[in-house]
mmCIF file of all heavy atoms in Angstrom:
data_model
loop_
_atom_site.group_PDB
_atom_site.id
_atom_site.type_symbol
_atom_site.label_atom_id
_atom_site.label_comp_id
_atom_site.label_asym_id
_atom_site.label_seq_id
_atom_site.Cartn_x
_atom_site.Cartn_y
_atom_site.Cartn_z
ATOM 1 N N LEU J 131 89.022 133.957 95.059
ATOM 2 C CA LEU J 131 87.476 133.759 94.986
ATOM 3 C C LEU J 131 87.049 132.314 94.868
ATOM 4 O O LEU J 131 86.080 131.766 95.406
ATOM 5 C CB LEU J 131 86.936 134.646 93.826
ATOM 6 C CG LEU J 131 85.527 134.500 93.469
ATOM 7 C CD1 LEU J 131 84.802 135.453 94.570
ATOM 8 C CD2 LEU J 131 85.208 135.001 92.162
ATOM 9 N N ILE J 133 88.834 129.552 95.322
ATOM 10 C CA ILE J 133 89.275 128.661 96.482
ATOM 11 C C ILE J 133 88.294 128.865 97.549
ATOM 12 O O ILE J 133 87.852 127.936 98.253
ATOM 13 C CB ILE J 133 90.706 128.897 96.843
ATOM 14 C CG1 ILE J 133 91.566 128.300 95.648
ATOM 15 C CG2 ILE J 133 91.049 128.178 98.103
ATOM 16 C CD1 ILE J 133 93.032 128.549 95.772
ATOM 17 N N GLN J 153 76.589 118.982 74.002
ATOM 18 C CA GLN J 153 76.926 119.506 72.557
ATOM 19 C C GLN J 153 77.691 118.435 71.756
ATOM 20 O O GLN J 153 77.299 118.188 70.679
ATOM 21 C CB GLN J 153 77.720 120.734 72.594
ATOM 22 C CG GLN J 153 76.848 122.001 73.156
ATOM 23 C CD GLN J 153 75.577 122.156 72.401
ATOM 24 O OE1 GLN J 153 75.573 122.119 71.083
ATOM 25 N NE2 GLN J 153 74.439 122.489 73.053
ATOM 26 N N ALA J 165 75.218 111.751 76.647
ATOM 27 C CA ALA J 165 75.913 112.937 77.143
ATOM 28 C C ALA J 165 76.624 112.614 78.494
ATOM 29 O O ALA J 165 77.780 112.910 78.695
ATOM 30 C CB ALA J 165 75.125 114.149 77.228
ATOM 31 N N TYR J 178 92.931 112.118 85.550
ATOM 32 C CA TYR J 178 94.156 111.728 85.021
ATOM 33 C C TYR J 178 95.196 112.990 85.093
ATOM 34 O O TYR J 178 96.213 112.923 85.745
ATOM 35 C CB TYR J 178 94.235 111.156 83.672
ATOM 36 C CG TYR J 178 95.586 110.772 83.202
ATOM 37 C CD1 TYR J 178 96.193 109.510 83.785
ATOM 38 C CD2 TYR J 178 96.349 111.443 82.305
ATOM 39 C CE1 TYR J 178 97.371 109.174 83.355
ATOM 40 C CE2 TYR J 178 97.410 111.153 81.965
ATOM 41 C CZ TYR J 178 98.068 109.961 82.530
ATOM 42 O OH TYR J 178 99.288 109.606 82.066
ATOM 43 N N GLY J 198 86.704 121.986 95.418
ATOM 44 C CA GLY J 198 85.270 121.643 95.568
ATOM 45 C C GLY J 198 84.675 120.565 94.866
ATOM 46 O O GLY J 198 83.678 119.913 95.224
ATOM 47 N N PHE J 217 63.412 108.048 95.249
ATOM 48 C CA PHE J 217 62.061 108.637 95.219
ATOM 49 C C PHE J 217 61.316 108.303 93.904
ATOM 50 O O PHE J 217 60.201 108.305 93.869
ATOM 51 C CB PHE J 217 62.235 110.221 95.299
ATOM 52 C CG PHE J 217 61.079 110.864 95.934
ATOM 53 C CD1 PHE J 217 60.763 110.550 97.259
ATOM 54 C CD2 PHE J 217 60.300 111.718 95.362
ATOM 55 C CE1 PHE J 217 59.740 110.953 97.912
ATOM 56 C CE2 PHE J 217 59.243 112.295 95.992
ATOM 57 C CZ PHE J 217 58.848 111.976 97.272
ATOM 58 N N LEU J 229 64.617 89.088 95.212
ATOM 59 C CA LEU J 229 65.309 87.830 95.348
ATOM 60 C C LEU J 229 66.448 87.757 94.298
ATOM 61 O O LEU J 229 67.545 87.385 94.566
ATOM 62 C CB LEU J 229 64.228 86.565 95.154
ATOM 63 C CG LEU J 229 64.906 85.339 95.367
ATOM 64 C CD1 LEU J 229 65.434 85.214 96.867
ATOM 65 C CD2 LEU J 229 63.994 84.134 95.063
ATOM 66 N N PHE J 243 85.831 87.454 93.574
ATOM 67 C CA PHE J 243 86.892 87.088 94.419
ATOM 68 C C PHE J 243 87.648 85.951 93.969
ATOM 69 O O PHE J 243 88.829 85.951 93.954
ATOM 70 C CB PHE J 243 86.337 86.743 95.803
ATOM 71 C CG PHE J 243 87.287 86.305 96.874
ATOM 72 C CD1 PHE J 243 87.999 87.274 97.641
ATOM 73 C CD2 PHE J 243 87.482 84.912 96.992
ATOM 74 C CE1 PHE J 243 88.773 86.885 98.493
ATOM 75 C CE2 PHE J 243 88.423 84.512 97.870
ATOM 76 C CZ PHE J 243 89.144 85.535 98.633
ATOM 77 N N SER J 248 92.452 83.821 91.839
ATOM 78 C CA SER J 248 93.177 82.871 90.814
ATOM 79 C C SER J 248 94.266 83.628 90.063
ATOM 80 O O SER J 248 95.290 83.068 89.894
ATOM 81 C CB SER J 248 92.128 82.355 89.975
ATOM 82 O OG SER J 248 91.053 81.663 90.769
ATOM 83 N N ALA J 260 97.786 87.100 100.585
ATOM 84 C CA ALA J 260 97.889 87.922 99.338
ATOM 85 C C ALA J 260 96.753 87.542 98.459
ATOM 86 O O ALA J 260 96.090 88.537 97.824
ATOM 87 C CB ALA J 260 99.337 87.529 98.702
ATOM 88 N N THR J 263 93.533 89.224 99.706
ATOM 89 C CA THR J 263 93.537 90.663 99.668
ATOM 90 C C THR J 263 93.277 91.100 98.174
ATOM 91 O O THR J 263 92.473 91.986 97.939
ATOM 92 C CB THR J 263 94.859 91.293 100.097
ATOM 93 O OG1 THR J 263 95.049 90.796 101.391
ATOM 94 C CG2 THR J 263 94.735 92.847 100.180
ATOM 95 N N ALA J 266 89.698 90.236 97.187
ATOM 96 C CA ALA J 266 88.768 91.049 97.725
ATOM 97 C C ALA J 266 88.777 92.522 97.070
ATOM 98 O O ALA J 266 87.759 93.155 96.840
ATOM 99 C CB ALA J 266 89.036 91.400 99.258
ATOM 100 N N ALA J 268 89.192 92.700 93.985
ATOM 101 C CA ALA J 268 88.405 92.586 92.691
ATOM 102 C C ALA J 268 86.892 92.678 92.953
ATOM 103 O O ALA J 268 86.135 92.782 92.085
ATOM 104 C CB ALA J 268 88.766 91.353 92.092
ATOM 105 N N ALA J 280 92.161 93.632 107.931
ATOM 106 C CA ALA J 280 91.634 92.581 108.878
ATOM 107 C C ALA J 280 92.469 91.398 108.951
ATOM 108 O O ALA J 280 92.643 90.765 110.079
ATOM 109 C CB ALA J 280 90.254 92.222 108.565
ATOM 110 N N LYS J 298 88.473 98.123 88.043
ATOM 111 C CA LYS J 298 87.377 97.525 87.732
ATOM 112 C C LYS J 298 86.103 98.533 87.703
ATOM 113 O O LYS J 298 85.368 98.529 86.723
ATOM 114 C CB LYS J 298 86.866 96.530 88.890
ATOM 115 C CG LYS J 298 85.658 95.769 88.559
ATOM 116 C CD LYS J 298 85.317 95.016 89.937
ATOM 117 C CE LYS J 298 83.827 94.354 89.850
ATOM 118 N NZ LYS J 298 83.421 93.921 91.165
ATOM 119 N N SER J 305 82.570 101.003 80.084
ATOM 120 C CA SER J 305 81.999 99.980 79.099
ATOM 121 C C SER J 305 80.544 99.698 79.224
ATOM 122 O O SER J 305 79.935 99.246 78.300
ATOM 123 C CB SER J 305 82.710 98.491 79.402
ATOM 124 O OG SER J 305 82.378 98.060 80.662
ATOM 125 N N LYS J 311 73.386 96.666 75.456
ATOM 126 C CA LYS J 311 72.676 95.632 74.625
ATOM 127 C C LYS J 311 72.916 94.176 74.960
ATOM 128 O O LYS J 311 71.979 93.364 75.333
ATOM 129 C CB LYS J 311 72.828 95.867 73.162
ATOM 130 C CG LYS J 311 71.515 96.185 72.299
ATOM 131 C CD LYS J 311 71.654 96.163 70.944
ATOM 132 C CE LYS J 311 70.459 96.632 70.192
ATOM 133 N NZ LYS J 311 70.685 97.448 69.219
ATOM 134 N N LEU J 313 74.109 93.145 77.840
ATOM 135 C CA LEU J 313 73.802 92.994 79.215
ATOM 136 C C LEU J 313 72.255 92.939 79.390
ATOM 137 O O LEU J 313 71.767 92.653 80.363
ATOM 138 C CB LEU J 313 74.385 94.113 80.054
ATOM 139 C CG LEU J 313 75.867 94.208 80.136
ATOM 140 C CD1 LEU J 313 76.256 95.445 80.945
ATOM 141 C CD2 LEU J 313 76.485 92.997 80.746
ATOM 142 N N THR J 317 65.091 96.834 81.779
ATOM 143 C CA THR J 317 64.008 96.773 82.728
ATOM 144 C C THR J 317 64.716 97.108 84.132
ATOM 145 O O THR J 317 65.901 97.025 84.449
ATOM 146 C CB THR J 317 63.428 95.522 82.914
ATOM 147 O OG1 THR J 317 64.371 94.377 83.087
ATOM 148 C CG2 THR J 317 62.669 95.212 81.601
ATOM 149 N N SER J 320 66.562 93.904 85.290
ATOM 150 C CA SER J 320 67.883 93.732 84.780
ATOM 151 C C SER J 320 68.820 94.761 85.399
ATOM 152 O O SER J 320 69.922 94.443 85.554
ATOM 153 C CB SER J 320 67.845 94.072 83.298
ATOM 154 O OG SER J 320 67.446 95.340 82.961
ATOM 155 N N VAL J 331 79.618 100.759 93.978
ATOM 156 C CA VAL J 331 78.528 101.860 93.707
ATOM 157 C C VAL J 331 78.952 102.852 92.574
ATOM 158 O O VAL J 331 78.187 103.161 91.812
ATOM 159 C CB VAL J 331 78.338 102.508 95.119
ATOM 160 C CG1 VAL J 331 77.217 103.605 94.869
ATOM 161 C CG2 VAL J 331 78.025 101.661 96.115
ATOM 162 N N GLY J 333 81.092 102.470 90.031
ATOM 163 C CA GLY J 333 80.973 101.837 88.707
ATOM 164 C C GLY J 333 79.427 101.713 88.150
ATOM 165 O O GLY J 333 79.097 102.172 87.119
ATOM 166 N N ARG J 343 69.039 106.887 82.721
ATOM 167 C CA ARG J 343 69.025 107.511 83.940
ATOM 168 C C ARG J 343 67.971 106.887 84.863
ATOM 169 O O ARG J 343 67.935 106.782 86.057
ATOM 170 C CB ARG J 343 68.714 108.943 83.808
ATOM 171 C CG ARG J 343 68.363 109.783 84.900
ATOM 172 C CD ARG J 343 69.468 109.862 85.995
ATOM 173 N NE ARG J 343 69.067 110.642 87.103
ATOM 174 C CZ ARG J 343 68.243 110.281 87.965
ATOM 175 N NH1 ARG J 343 67.648 109.033 87.947
ATOM 176 N NH2 ARG J 343 67.843 110.965 89.094
ATOM 177 N N LYS J 344 66.867 106.395 84.193
ATOM 178 C CA LYS J 344 65.622 105.782 84.907
ATOM 179 C C LYS J 344 66.148 104.521 85.680
ATOM 180 O O LYS J 344 65.468 104.238 86.573
ATOM 181 C CB LYS J 344 64.522 105.480 83.893
ATOM 182 C CG LYS J 344 63.814 106.645 83.399
ATOM 183 C CD LYS J 344 62.461 106.340 82.770
ATOM 184 C CE LYS J 344 62.598 105.376 81.593
ATOM 185 N NZ LYS J 344 63.207 106.094 80.406
ATOM 186 N N VAL J 346 68.924 104.033 87.138
ATOM 187 C CA VAL J 346 69.929 104.314 88.190
ATOM 188 C C VAL J 346 69.492 103.783 89.635
ATOM 189 O O VAL J 346 70.219 103.019 90.262
ATOM 190 C CB VAL J 346 70.457 105.718 88.296
ATOM 191 C CG1 VAL J 346 71.178 106.019 89.598
ATOM 192 C CG2 VAL J 346 71.240 106.030 87.153
ATOM 193 N N THR J 354 74.589 99.176 96.564
ATOM 194 C CA THR J 354 75.079 99.725 97.929
ATOM 195 C C THR J 354 75.179 98.526 98.930
ATOM 196 O O THR J 354 75.833 98.922 100.073
ATOM 197 C CB THR J 354 74.161 100.721 98.365
ATOM 198 O OG1 THR J 354 72.762 100.206 98.452
ATOM 199 C CG2 THR J 354 74.055 101.925 97.478
ATOM 200 N N LYS J 373 92.386 79.938 102.679
ATOM 201 C CA LYS J 373 93.413 79.192 103.368
ATOM 202 C C LYS J 373 93.357 77.676 103.487
ATOM 203 O O LYS J 373 94.340 76.979 103.312
ATOM 204 C CB LYS J 373 93.258 79.740 104.928
ATOM 205 C CG LYS J 373 94.525 79.898 105.687
ATOM 206 C CD LYS J 373 94.204 80.584 106.811
ATOM 207 C CE LYS J 373 95.512 80.473 107.858
ATOM 208 N NZ LYS J 373 95.237 81.169 109.067
ATOM 209 N N ALA J 374 92.064 77.193 103.436
ATOM 210 C CA ALA J 374 91.912 75.808 103.379
ATOM 211 C C ALA J 374 92.511 75.267 102.002
ATOM 212 O O ALA J 374 92.982 74.103 102.069
ATOM 213 C CB ALA J 374 90.308 75.426 103.462
#
Side-chain angles (χ1 to χ4, degrees):
Chain J
L131 174 83
I133 290 170
Q153 291 302 319
Y178 180 78
F217 210 61
L229 181 67
F243 180 85
S248 307
T263 307
K298 180 188 170 195
S305 67
K311 233 189 194 139
L313 300 173
T317 58
S320 65
V331 181
R343 169 65 179 76
K344 282 197 298 293
V346 166
T354 55
K373 216 172 167 185

